PDB file of all heavy atoms in Angstrom:
ATOM      1  N   GLY A 117      -2.926 -14.364  -4.682  1.00 97.00           N
ATOM      2  CA  GLY A 117      -2.646 -15.444  -3.735  1.00 97.00           C
ATOM      3  C   GLY A 117      -1.391 -15.193  -2.933  1.00 97.00           C
ATOM      4  O   GLY A 117      -0.817 -16.127  -2.356  1.00 97.00           O
ATOM      5  N   LEU A 118      -0.963 -13.928  -2.871  1.00 98.00           N
ATOM      6  CA  LEU A 118       0.238 -13.572  -2.130  1.00 98.00           C
ATOM      7  C   LEU A 118      -0.033 -12.469  -1.112  1.00 98.00           C
ATOM      8  O   LEU A 118       0.837 -11.644  -0.821  1.00 98.00           O
ATOM      9  CB  LEU A 118       1.345 -13.107  -3.095  1.00 98.00           C
ATOM     10  CG  LEU A 118       1.993 -14.186  -3.962  1.00 98.00           C
ATOM     11  CD1 LEU A 118       2.910 -13.554  -4.997  1.00 98.00           C
ATOM     12  CD2 LEU A 118       2.771 -15.180  -3.096  1.00 98.00           C
ATOM     13  N   GLY A 119      -1.249 -12.449  -0.581  1.00 98.00           N
ATOM     14  CA  GLY A 119      -1.576 -11.461   0.439  1.00 98.00           C
ATOM     15  C   GLY A 119      -0.844 -11.738   1.740  1.00 98.00           C
ATOM     16  O   GLY A 119      -0.247 -12.805   1.933  1.00 98.00           O
ATOM     17  N   PRO A 120      -0.857 -10.784   2.677  1.00 98.00           N
ATOM     18  CA  PRO A 120      -0.115 -10.943   3.935  1.00 98.00           C
ATOM     19  C   PRO A 120      -0.483 -12.201   4.705  1.00 98.00           C
ATOM     20  O   PRO A 120       0.396 -12.890   5.233  1.00 98.00           O
ATOM     21  CB  PRO A 120      -0.499  -9.682   4.715  1.00 98.00           C
ATOM     22  CG  PRO A 120      -0.866  -8.684   3.673  1.00 98.00           C
ATOM     23  CD  PRO A 120      -1.504  -9.465   2.573  1.00 98.00           C
ATOM     24  N   GLU A 121      -1.759 -12.515   4.802  1.00 97.00           N
ATOM     25  CA  GLU A 121      -2.173 -13.674   5.586  1.00 97.00           C
ATOM     26  C   GLU A 121      -1.568 -14.961   5.021  1.00 97.00           C
ATOM     27  O   GLU A 121      -1.039 -15.804   5.764  1.00 97.00           O
ATOM     28  CB  GLU A 121      -3.701 -13.771   5.611  1.00 97.00           C
ATOM     29  CG  GLU A 121      -4.215 -14.893   6.499  1.00 97.00           C
ATOM     30  CD  GLU A 121      -5.730 -14.893   6.595  1.00 97.00           C
ATOM     31  OE1 GLU A 121      -6.354 -13.875   6.216  1.00 97.00           O
ATOM     32  OE2 GLU A 121      -6.279 -15.913   7.051  1.00 97.00           O
ATOM     33  N   THR A 122      -1.631 -15.113   3.695  1.00 98.00           N
ATOM     34  CA  THR A 122      -1.068 -16.311   3.060  1.00 98.00           C
ATOM     35  C   THR A 122       0.435 -16.376   3.252  1.00 98.00           C
ATOM     36  O   THR A 122       0.998 -17.413   3.628  1.00 98.00           O
ATOM     37  CB  THR A 122      -1.398 -16.312   1.558  1.00 98.00           C
ATOM     38  OG1 THR A 122      -2.806 -16.301   1.381  1.00 98.00           O
ATOM     39  CG2 THR A 122      -0.801 -17.531   0.875  1.00 98.00           C
ATOM     40  N   CYS A 123       1.107 -15.271   2.986  1.00 98.00           N
ATOM     41  CA  CYS A 123       2.569 -15.257   3.076  1.00 98.00           C
ATOM     42  C   CYS A 123       3.051 -15.476   4.500  1.00 98.00           C
ATOM     43  O   CYS A 123       4.004 -16.231   4.740  1.00 98.00           O
ATOM     44  CB  CYS A 123       3.109 -13.931   2.544  1.00 98.00           C
ATOM     45  SG  CYS A 123       2.862 -13.692   0.768  1.00 98.00           S
ATOM     46  N   MET A 124       2.394 -14.850   5.463  1.00 98.00           N
ATOM     47  CA  MET A 124       2.847 -14.965   6.847  1.00 98.00           C
ATOM     48  C   MET A 124       2.482 -16.302   7.465  1.00 98.00           C
ATOM     49  O   MET A 124       3.060 -16.698   8.473  1.00 98.00           O
ATOM     50  CB  MET A 124       2.304 -13.788   7.655  1.00 98.00           C
ATOM     51  CG  MET A 124       2.881 -12.455   7.162  1.00 98.00           C
ATOM     52  SD  MET A 124       2.075 -10.965   7.788  1.00 98.00           S
ATOM     53  CE  MET A 124       2.837 -10.841   9.400  1.00 98.00           C
ATOM     54  N   SER A 125       1.534 -17.021   6.831  1.00 97.00           N
ATOM     55  CA  SER A 125       1.268 -18.385   7.299  1.00 97.00           C
ATOM     56  C   SER A 125       2.430 -19.308   6.941  1.00 97.00           C
ATOM     57  O   SER A 125       2.667 -20.316   7.610  1.00 97.00           O
ATOM     58  CB  SER A 125      -0.035 -18.914   6.690  1.00 97.00           C
ATOM     59  OG  SER A 125       0.115 -19.147   5.289  1.00 97.00           O
ATOM     60  N   ARG A 126       3.170 -18.954   5.890  1.00 97.00           N
ATOM     61  CA  ARG A 126       4.353 -19.730   5.495  1.00 97.00           C
ATOM     62  C   ARG A 126       5.607 -19.271   6.232  1.00 97.00           C
ATOM     63  O   ARG A 126       6.578 -20.019   6.332  1.00 97.00           O
ATOM     64  CB  ARG A 126       4.572 -19.596   3.981  1.00 97.00           C
ATOM     65  CG  ARG A 126       3.421 -20.099   3.121  1.00 97.00           C
ATOM     66  CD  ARG A 126       3.391 -21.596   3.023  1.00 97.00           C
ATOM     67  NE  ARG A 126       4.431 -22.106   2.154  1.00 97.00           N
ATOM     68  CZ  ARG A 126       4.233 -22.475   0.884  1.00 97.00           C
ATOM     69  NH1 ARG A 126       3.033 -22.372   0.340  1.00 97.00           N
ATOM     70  NH2 ARG A 126       5.222 -22.963   0.160  1.00 97.00           N
ATOM     71  N   ASN A 127       5.590 -18.052   6.732  1.00 98.00           N
ATOM     72  CA  ASN A 127       6.749 -17.505   7.431  1.00 98.00           C
ATOM     73  C   ASN A 127       6.253 -16.490   8.455  1.00 98.00           C
ATOM     74  O   ASN A 127       6.102 -15.304   8.156  1.00 98.00           O
ATOM     75  CB  ASN A 127       7.709 -16.853   6.435  1.00 98.00           C
ATOM     76  CG  ASN A 127       8.927 -16.243   7.108  1.00 98.00           C
ATOM     77  OD1 ASN A 127       9.069 -16.279   8.324  1.00 98.00           O
ATOM     78  ND2 ASN A 127       9.810 -15.662   6.317  1.00 98.00           N
ATOM     79  N   PRO A 128       5.986 -16.932   9.694  1.00 98.00           N
ATOM     80  CA  PRO A 128       5.415 -16.030  10.712  1.00 98.00           C
ATOM     81  C   PRO A 128       6.304 -14.843  11.046  1.00 98.00           C
ATOM     82  O   PRO A 128       5.813 -13.834  11.564  1.00 98.00           O
ATOM     83  CB  PRO A 128       5.237 -16.942  11.928  1.00 98.00           C
ATOM     84  CG  PRO A 128       5.159 -18.325  11.371  1.00 98.00           C
ATOM     85  CD  PRO A 128       6.078 -18.318  10.189  1.00 98.00           C
ATOM     86  N   ARG A 129       7.606 -14.939  10.750  1.00 98.00           N
ATOM     87  CA  ARG A 129       8.508 -13.833  11.049  1.00 98.00           C
ATOM     88  C   ARG A 129       8.575 -12.803   9.915  1.00 98.00           C
ATOM     89  O   ARG A 129       9.267 -11.785  10.027  1.00 98.00           O
ATOM     90  CB  ARG A 129       9.925 -14.366  11.294  1.00 98.00           C
ATOM     91  CG  ARG A 129      10.066 -15.248  12.522  1.00 98.00           C
ATOM     92  CD  ARG A 129      11.452 -15.890  12.561  1.00 98.00           C
ATOM     93  NE  ARG A 129      12.505 -14.871  12.559  1.00 98.00           N
ATOM     94  CZ  ARG A 129      13.036 -14.354  13.657  1.00 98.00           C
ATOM     95  NH1 ARG A 129      12.608 -14.763  14.846  1.00 98.00           N
ATOM     96  NH2 ARG A 129      13.983 -13.451  13.580  1.00 98.00           N
ATOM     97  N   LEU A 130       7.842 -13.052   8.846  1.00 98.00           N
ATOM     98  CA  LEU A 130       7.954 -12.211   7.664  1.00 98.00           C
ATOM     99  C   LEU A 130       7.380 -10.817   7.907  1.00 98.00           C
ATOM    100  O   LEU A 130       6.277 -10.660   8.396  1.00 98.00           O
ATOM    101  CB  LEU A 130       7.201 -12.858   6.491  1.00 98.00           C
ATOM    102  CG  LEU A 130       7.299 -12.116   5.159  1.00 98.00           C
ATOM    103  CD1 LEU A 130       8.670 -12.331   4.526  1.00 98.00           C
ATOM    104  CD2 LEU A 130       6.201 -12.592   4.203  1.00 98.00           C
ATOM    105  N   VAL A 131       8.145  -9.806   7.534  1.00 98.00           N
ATOM    106  CA  VAL A 131       7.651  -8.439   7.492  1.00 98.00           C
ATOM    107  C   VAL A 131       7.129  -8.193   6.078  1.00 98.00           C
ATOM    108  O   VAL A 131       7.809  -8.495   5.100  1.00 98.00           O
ATOM    109  CB  VAL A 131       8.763  -7.434   7.836  1.00 98.00           C
ATOM    110  CG1 VAL A 131       8.311  -6.004   7.558  1.00 98.00           C
ATOM    111  CG2 VAL A 131       9.175  -7.593   9.299  1.00 98.00           C
ATOM    112  N   TYR A 132       5.923  -7.651   5.989  1.00 98.00           N
ATOM    113  CA  TYR A 132       5.243  -7.488   4.703  1.00 98.00           C
ATOM    114  C   TYR A 132       5.064  -5.992   4.438  1.00 98.00           C
ATOM    115  O   TYR A 132       4.211  -5.341   5.036  1.00 98.00           O
ATOM    116  CB  TYR A 132       3.886  -8.198   4.761  1.00 98.00           C
ATOM    117  CG  TYR A 132       3.233  -8.455   3.431  1.00 98.00           C
ATOM    118  CD1 TYR A 132       3.154  -9.731   2.905  1.00 98.00           C
ATOM    119  CD2 TYR A 132       2.663  -7.409   2.709  1.00 98.00           C
ATOM    120  CE1 TYR A 132       2.523  -9.970   1.683  1.00 98.00           C
ATOM    121  CE2 TYR A 132       2.037  -7.641   1.490  1.00 98.00           C
ATOM    122  CZ  TYR A 132       1.977  -8.912   0.986  1.00 98.00           C
ATOM    123  OH  TYR A 132       1.351  -9.140  -0.214  1.00 98.00           O
ATOM    124  N   GLY A 133       5.864  -5.450   3.529  1.00 98.00           N
ATOM    125  CA  GLY A 133       5.809  -4.030   3.228  1.00 98.00           C
ATOM    126  C   GLY A 133       4.878  -3.733   2.073  1.00 98.00           C
ATOM    127  O   GLY A 133       4.994  -4.344   1.012  1.00 98.00           O
ATOM    128  N   ARG A 134       3.979  -2.781   2.251  1.00 98.00           N
ATOM    129  CA  ARG A 134       3.004  -2.419   1.237  1.00 98.00           C
ATOM    130  C   ARG A 134       3.171  -0.935   0.886  1.00 98.00           C
ATOM    131  O   ARG A 134       3.024  -0.064   1.741  1.00 98.00           O
ATOM    132  CB  ARG A 134       1.577  -2.674   1.728  1.00 98.00           C
ATOM    133  CG  ARG A 134       1.391  -4.031   2.406  1.00 98.00           C
ATOM    134  CD  ARG A 134      -0.038  -4.493   2.371  1.00 98.00           C
ATOM    135  NE  ARG A 134      -0.364  -5.017   1.036  1.00 98.00           N
ATOM    136  CZ  ARG A 134      -1.465  -5.726   0.775  1.00 98.00           C
ATOM    137  NH1 ARG A 134      -2.337  -5.976   1.739  1.00 98.00           N
ATOM    138  NH2 ARG A 134      -1.693  -6.182  -0.437  1.00 98.00           N
ATOM    139  N   MET A 135       3.490  -0.673  -0.384  1.00 97.00           N
ATOM    140  CA  MET A 135       3.639   0.691  -0.863  1.00 97.00           C
ATOM    141  C   MET A 135       2.475   1.042  -1.777  1.00 97.00           C
ATOM    142  O   MET A 135       2.253   0.371  -2.793  1.00 97.00           O
ATOM    143  CB  MET A 135       4.957   0.831  -1.627  1.00 97.00           C
ATOM    144  CG  MET A 135       5.082   2.108  -2.445  1.00 97.00           C
ATOM    145  SD  MET A 135       4.996   3.603  -1.457  1.00 97.00           S
ATOM    146  CE  MET A 135       6.400   3.353  -0.397  1.00 97.00           C
ATOM    147  N   THR A 136       1.725   2.050  -1.390  1.00 97.00           N
ATOM    148  CA  THR A 136       0.636   2.553  -2.231  1.00 97.00           C
ATOM    149  C   THR A 136       0.709   4.073  -2.247  1.00 97.00           C
ATOM    150  O   THR A 136       1.465   4.685  -1.492  1.00 97.00           O
ATOM    151  CB  THR A 136      -0.743   2.128  -1.700  1.00 97.00           C
ATOM    152  OG1 THR A 136      -0.904   2.654  -0.373  1.00 97.00           O
ATOM    153  CG2 THR A 136      -0.906   0.623  -1.683  1.00 97.00           C
ATOM    154  N   GLY A 137      -0.119   4.672  -3.100  1.00 97.00           N
ATOM    155  CA  GLY A 137      -0.187   6.125  -3.117  1.00 97.00           C
ATOM    156  C   GLY A 137      -1.060   6.666  -2.018  1.00 97.00           C
ATOM    157  O   GLY A 137      -0.668   7.554  -1.264  1.00 97.00           O
ATOM    158  N   TRP A 138      -2.271   6.084  -1.898  1.00 98.00           N
ATOM    159  CA  TRP A 138      -3.269   6.633  -0.975  1.00 98.00           C
ATOM    160  C   TRP A 138      -3.355   5.887   0.343  1.00 98.00           C
ATOM    161  O   TRP A 138      -3.990   6.373   1.280  1.00 98.00           O
ATOM    162  CB  TRP A 138      -4.647   6.593  -1.639  1.00 98.00           C
ATOM    163  CG  TRP A 138      -4.728   7.218  -2.988  1.00 98.00           C
ATOM    164  CD1 TRP A 138      -4.944   6.585  -4.182  1.00 98.00           C
ATOM    165  CD2 TRP A 138      -4.596   8.608  -3.321  1.00 98.00           C
ATOM    166  NE1 TRP A 138      -4.962   7.481  -5.226  1.00 98.00           N
ATOM    167  CE2 TRP A 138      -4.748   8.736  -4.731  1.00 98.00           C
ATOM    168  CE3 TRP A 138      -4.367   9.764  -2.561  1.00 98.00           C
ATOM    169  CZ2 TRP A 138      -4.691   9.960  -5.383  1.00 98.00           C
ATOM    170  CZ3 TRP A 138      -4.296  10.980  -3.220  1.00 98.00           C
ATOM    171  CH2 TRP A 138      -4.451  11.074  -4.602  1.00 98.00           C
ATOM    172  N   GLY A 139      -2.758   4.702   0.432  1.00 97.00           N
ATOM    173  CA  GLY A 139      -2.891   3.884   1.634  1.00 97.00           C
ATOM    174  C   GLY A 139      -3.795   2.700   1.386  1.00 97.00           C
ATOM    175  O   GLY A 139      -4.463   2.598   0.349  1.00 97.00           O
ATOM    176  N   GLN A 140      -3.848   1.798   2.347  1.00 96.00           N
ATOM    177  CA  GLN A 140      -4.644   0.583   2.214  1.00 96.00           C
ATOM    178  C   GLN A 140      -6.123   0.810   2.479  1.00 96.00           C
ATOM    179  O   GLN A 140      -6.954  -0.027   2.144  1.00 96.00           O
ATOM    180  CB  GLN A 140      -4.117  -0.487   3.183  1.00 96.00           C
ATOM    181  CG  GLN A 140      -2.704  -0.952   2.889  1.00 96.00           C
ATOM    182  CD  GLN A 140      -2.589  -1.672   1.561  1.00 96.00           C
ATOM    183  OE1 GLN A 140      -3.446  -2.490   1.210  1.00 96.00           O
ATOM    184  NE2 GLN A 140      -1.543  -1.371   0.810  1.00 96.00           N
ATOM    185  N   THR A 141      -6.470   1.941   3.097  1.00 96.00           N
ATOM    186  CA  THR A 141      -7.866   2.233   3.419  1.00 96.00           C
ATOM    187  C   THR A 141      -8.189   3.657   3.004  1.00 96.00           C
ATOM    188  O   THR A 141      -7.309   4.430   2.635  1.00 96.00           O
ATOM    189  CB  THR A 141      -8.133   2.069   4.925  1.00 96.00           C
ATOM    190  OG1 THR A 141      -7.262   2.965   5.653  1.00 96.00           O
ATOM    191  CG2 THR A 141      -7.859   0.642   5.379  1.00 96.00           C
ATOM    192  N   GLY A 142      -9.476   4.012   3.080  1.00 97.00           N
ATOM    193  CA  GLY A 142      -9.903   5.362   2.754  1.00 97.00           C
ATOM    194  C   GLY A 142     -10.605   5.429   1.420  1.00 97.00           C
ATOM    195  O   GLY A 142     -10.493   4.521   0.584  1.00 97.00           O
ATOM    196  N   PRO A 143     -11.355   6.513   1.160  1.00 97.00           N
ATOM    197  CA  PRO A 143     -12.150   6.629  -0.064  1.00 97.00           C
ATOM    198  C   PRO A 143     -11.344   6.543  -1.349  1.00 97.00           C
ATOM    199  O   PRO A 143     -11.874   6.131  -2.387  1.00 97.00           O
ATOM    200  CB  PRO A 143     -12.802   8.017   0.072  1.00 97.00           C
ATOM    201  CG  PRO A 143     -12.735   8.356   1.513  1.00 97.00           C
ATOM    202  CD  PRO A 143     -11.534   7.674   2.060  1.00 97.00           C
ATOM    203  N   LEU A 144     -10.066   6.933  -1.306  1.00 97.00           N
ATOM    204  CA  LEU A 144      -9.244   6.935  -2.516  1.00 97.00           C
ATOM    205  C   LEU A 144      -8.361   5.702  -2.644  1.00 97.00           C
ATOM    206  O   LEU A 144      -7.588   5.602  -3.601  1.00 97.00           O
ATOM    207  CB  LEU A 144      -8.358   8.187  -2.543  1.00 97.00           C
ATOM    208  CG  LEU A 144      -9.071   9.530  -2.644  1.00 97.00           C
ATOM    209  CD1 LEU A 144      -8.061  10.670  -2.566  1.00 97.00           C
ATOM    210  CD2 LEU A 144      -9.877   9.626  -3.931  1.00 97.00           C
ATOM    211  N   ALA A 145      -8.455   4.774  -1.713  1.00 97.00           N
ATOM    212  CA  ALA A 145      -7.512   3.651  -1.659  1.00 97.00           C
ATOM    213  C   ALA A 145      -7.416   2.892  -2.979  1.00 97.00           C
ATOM    214  O   ALA A 145      -6.329   2.466  -3.378  1.00 97.00           O
ATOM    215  CB  ALA A 145      -7.887   2.695  -0.523  1.00 97.00           C
ATOM    216  N   GLY A 146      -8.525   2.726  -3.672  1.00 95.00           N
ATOM    217  CA  GLY A 146      -8.514   1.953  -4.902  1.00 95.00           C
ATOM    218  C   GLY A 146      -8.300   2.760  -6.161  1.00 95.00           C
ATOM    219  O   GLY A 146      -8.277   2.198  -7.258  1.00 95.00           O
ATOM    220  N   LYS A 147      -8.118   4.072  -6.016  1.00 96.00           N
ATOM    221  CA  LYS A 147      -7.984   4.939  -7.178  1.00 96.00           C
ATOM    222  C   LYS A 147      -6.548   4.947  -7.692  1.00 96.00           C
ATOM    223  O   LYS A 147      -5.586   4.811  -6.947  1.00 96.00           O
ATOM    224  CB  LYS A 147      -8.378   6.376  -6.817  1.00 96.00           C
ATOM    225  CG  LYS A 147      -9.842   6.549  -6.466  1.00 96.00           C
ATOM    226  CD  LYS A 147     -10.713   6.602  -7.703  1.00 96.00           C
ATOM    227  CE  LYS A 147     -10.523   7.902  -8.453  1.00 96.00           C
ATOM    228  NZ  LYS A 147     -11.407   7.998  -9.631  1.00 96.00           N
ATOM    229  N   ALA A 148      -6.418   5.151  -9.014  1.00 95.00           N
ATOM    230  CA  ALA A 148      -5.094   5.318  -9.602  1.00 95.00           C
ATOM    231  C   ALA A 148      -4.532   6.687  -9.225  1.00 95.00           C
ATOM    232  O   ALA A 148      -5.270   7.610  -8.891  1.00 95.00           O
ATOM    233  CB  ALA A 148      -5.170   5.188 -11.122  1.00 95.00           C
ATOM    234  N   GLY A 149      -3.233   6.810  -9.285  1.00 96.00           N
ATOM    235  CA  GLY A 149      -2.596   8.086  -8.979  1.00 96.00           C
ATOM    236  C   GLY A 149      -1.097   7.991  -9.166  1.00 96.00           C
ATOM    237  O   GLY A 149      -0.534   6.890  -9.229  1.00 96.00           O
ATOM    238  N   HIS A 150      -0.459   9.150  -9.272  1.00 97.00           N
ATOM    239  CA  HIS A 150       0.990   9.228  -9.346  1.00 97.00           C
ATOM    240  C   HIS A 150       1.463  10.359  -8.443  1.00 97.00           C
ATOM    241  O   HIS A 150       0.657  11.070  -7.827  1.00 97.00           O
ATOM    242  CB  HIS A 150       1.455   9.426 -10.791  1.00 97.00           C
ATOM    243  CG  HIS A 150       1.381   8.183 -11.618  1.00 97.00           C
ATOM    244  ND1 HIS A 150       2.165   7.074 -11.364  1.00 97.00           N
ATOM    245  CD2 HIS A 150       0.604   7.856 -12.686  1.00 97.00           C
ATOM    246  CE1 HIS A 150       1.890   6.127 -12.247  1.00 97.00           C
ATOM    247  NE2 HIS A 150       0.936   6.572 -13.055  1.00 97.00           N
ATOM    248  N   ASP A 151       2.762  10.534  -8.394  1.00 97.00           N
ATOM    249  CA  ASP A 151       3.384  11.486  -7.477  1.00 97.00           C
ATOM    250  C   ASP A 151       2.649  12.829  -7.404  1.00 97.00           C
ATOM    251  O   ASP A 151       2.360  13.302  -6.301  1.00 97.00           O
ATOM    252  CB  ASP A 151       4.853  11.679  -7.890  1.00 97.00           C
ATOM    253  CG  ASP A 151       5.598  12.683  -7.042  1.00 97.00           C
ATOM    254  OD1 ASP A 151       5.317  13.891  -7.153  1.00 97.00           O
ATOM    255  OD2 ASP A 151       6.486  12.273  -6.282  1.00 97.00           O
ATOM    256  N   PRO A 152       2.330  13.491  -8.528  1.00 98.00           N
ATOM    257  CA  PRO A 152       1.676  14.806  -8.411  1.00 98.00           C
ATOM    258  C   PRO A 152       0.350  14.751  -7.674  1.00 98.00           C
ATOM    259  O   PRO A 152      -0.005  15.691  -6.949  1.00 98.00           O
ATOM    260  CB  PRO A 152       1.474  15.247  -9.868  1.00 98.00           C
ATOM    261  CG  PRO A 152       2.449  14.444 -10.661  1.00 98.00           C
ATOM    262  CD  PRO A 152       2.562  13.129  -9.943  1.00 98.00           C
ATOM    263  N   ASN A 153      -0.392  13.652  -7.849  1.00 98.00           N
ATOM    264  CA  ASN A 153      -1.682  13.531  -7.191  1.00 98.00           C
ATOM    265  C   ASN A 153      -1.522  13.444  -5.682  1.00 98.00           C
ATOM    266  O   ASN A 153      -2.275  14.058  -4.919  1.00 98.00           O
ATOM    267  CB  ASN A 153      -2.420  12.299  -7.703  1.00 98.00           C
ATOM    268  CG  ASN A 153      -2.480  12.233  -9.213  1.00 98.00           C
ATOM    269  OD1 ASN A 153      -1.875  11.362  -9.824  1.00 98.00           O
ATOM    270  ND2 ASN A 153      -3.185  13.161  -9.839  1.00 98.00           N
ATOM    271  N   PHE A 154      -0.522  12.686  -5.245  1.00 98.00           N
ATOM    272  CA  PHE A 154      -0.341  12.474  -3.812  1.00 98.00           C
ATOM    273  C   PHE A 154       0.160  13.745  -3.122  1.00 98.00           C
ATOM    274  O   PHE A 154      -0.336  14.119  -2.055  1.00 98.00           O
ATOM    275  CB  PHE A 154       0.631  11.316  -3.567  1.00 98.00           C
ATOM    276  CG  PHE A 154       0.316  10.083  -4.380  1.00 98.00           C
ATOM    277  CD1 PHE A 154       1.320   9.366  -5.009  1.00 98.00           C
ATOM    278  CD2 PHE A 154      -0.991   9.656  -4.533  1.00 98.00           C
ATOM    279  CE1 PHE A 154       1.037   8.252  -5.772  1.00 98.00           C
ATOM    280  CE2 PHE A 154      -1.298   8.530  -5.303  1.00 98.00           C
ATOM    281  CZ  PHE A 154      -0.278   7.839  -5.925  1.00 98.00           C
ATOM    282  N   ILE A 155       1.134  14.430  -3.735  1.00 98.00           N
ATOM    283  CA  ILE A 155       1.646  15.631  -3.076  1.00 98.00           C
ATOM    284  C   ILE A 155       0.640  16.773  -3.162  1.00 98.00           C
ATOM    285  O   ILE A 155       0.697  17.709  -2.354  1.00 98.00           O
ATOM    286  CB  ILE A 155       3.018  16.051  -3.628  1.00 98.00           C
ATOM    287  CG1 ILE A 155       2.940  16.521  -5.085  1.00 98.00           C
ATOM    288  CG2 ILE A 155       4.014  14.915  -3.495  1.00 98.00           C
ATOM    289  CD1 ILE A 155       4.255  17.100  -5.596  1.00 98.00           C
ATOM    290  N   ALA A 156      -0.307  16.692  -4.104  1.00 98.00           N
ATOM    291  CA  ALA A 156      -1.356  17.711  -4.171  1.00 98.00           C
ATOM    292  C   ALA A 156      -2.251  17.626  -2.940  1.00 98.00           C
ATOM    293  O   ALA A 156      -2.597  18.649  -2.332  1.00 98.00           O
ATOM    294  CB  ALA A 156      -2.176  17.544  -5.444  1.00 98.00           C
ATOM    295  N   LEU A 157      -2.636  16.407  -2.545  1.00 98.00           N
ATOM    296  CA  LEU A 157      -3.498  16.241  -1.384  1.00 98.00           C
ATOM    297  C   LEU A 157      -2.760  16.443  -0.073  1.00 98.00           C
ATOM    298  O   LEU A 157      -3.377  16.612   0.979  1.00 98.00           O
ATOM    299  CB  LEU A 157      -4.157  14.856  -1.392  1.00 98.00           C
ATOM    300  CG  LEU A 157      -5.610  14.858  -1.881  1.00 98.00           C
ATOM    301  CD1 LEU A 157      -5.695  15.207  -3.343  1.00 98.00           C
ATOM    302  CD2 LEU A 157      -6.266  13.511  -1.597  1.00 98.00           C
ATOM    303  N   ALA A 158      -1.436  16.434  -0.120  1.00 98.00           N
ATOM    304  CA  ALA A 158      -0.637  16.631   1.099  1.00 98.00           C
ATOM    305  C   ALA A 158      -0.437  18.104   1.427  1.00 98.00           C
ATOM    306  O   ALA A 158       0.083  18.428   2.499  1.00 98.00           O
ATOM    307  CB  ALA A 158       0.722  15.946   0.931  1.00 98.00           C
ATOM    308  N   GLY A 159      -0.798  19.000   0.506  1.00 97.00           N
ATOM    309  CA  GLY A 159      -0.502  20.412   0.710  1.00 97.00           C
ATOM    310  C   GLY A 159       0.880  20.791   0.236  1.00 97.00           C
ATOM    311  O   GLY A 159       1.282  21.956   0.336  1.00 97.00           O
ATOM    312  N   VAL A 160       1.627  19.821  -0.294  1.00 98.00           N
ATOM    313  CA  VAL A 160       2.999  20.079  -0.749  1.00 98.00           C
ATOM    314  C   VAL A 160       2.992  20.886  -2.045  1.00 98.00           C
ATOM    315  O   VAL A 160       3.671  21.917  -2.153  1.00 98.00           O
ATOM    316  CB  VAL A 160       3.759  18.754  -0.952  1.00 98.00           C
ATOM    317  CG1 VAL A 160       5.133  19.014  -1.551  1.00 98.00           C
ATOM    318  CG2 VAL A 160       3.892  17.997   0.363  1.00 98.00           C
ATOM    319  N   LEU A 161       2.251  20.424  -3.035  1.00 98.00           N
ATOM    320  CA  LEU A 161       2.316  21.031  -4.357  1.00 98.00           C
ATOM    321  C   LEU A 161       1.885  22.492  -4.330  1.00 98.00           C
ATOM    322  O   LEU A 161       2.486  23.349  -4.977  1.00 98.00           O
ATOM    323  CB  LEU A 161       1.462  20.229  -5.339  1.00 98.00           C
ATOM    324  CG  LEU A 161       1.533  20.657  -6.810  1.00 98.00           C
ATOM    325  CD1 LEU A 161       2.969  20.631  -7.317  1.00 98.00           C
ATOM    326  CD2 LEU A 161       0.655  19.750  -7.661  1.00 98.00           C
TER     327      LEU A 161
END
């Protein structure tokens, strides 16, 4: 009950920061992961 739409309806000036591993969209968006997984797909590792 604290998604961006709900929160910003209470404060239209609110900036809503979202930190995820894979992003809010894409085939992996809902998958678990940690630092090694993310840098592996980036070409870093």
Side-chain angles (χ1 to χ4, degrees):
L118 289 172
E121 184 175 345
T122 300
C123 293
M124 295 168 80
S125 70
R126 300 283 286 260
N127 179 359
R129 295 172 58 91
L130 183 75
V131 170
Y132 196 108
R134 314 203 77 167
M135 167 61 61
T136 60
W138 308 112
Q140 296 295 318
T141 59
L144 295 176
K147 294 281 288 182
H150 284 294
D151 178 289
N153 309 113
F154 312 137
I155 67 173
L157 259 67
V160 175
L161 186 56

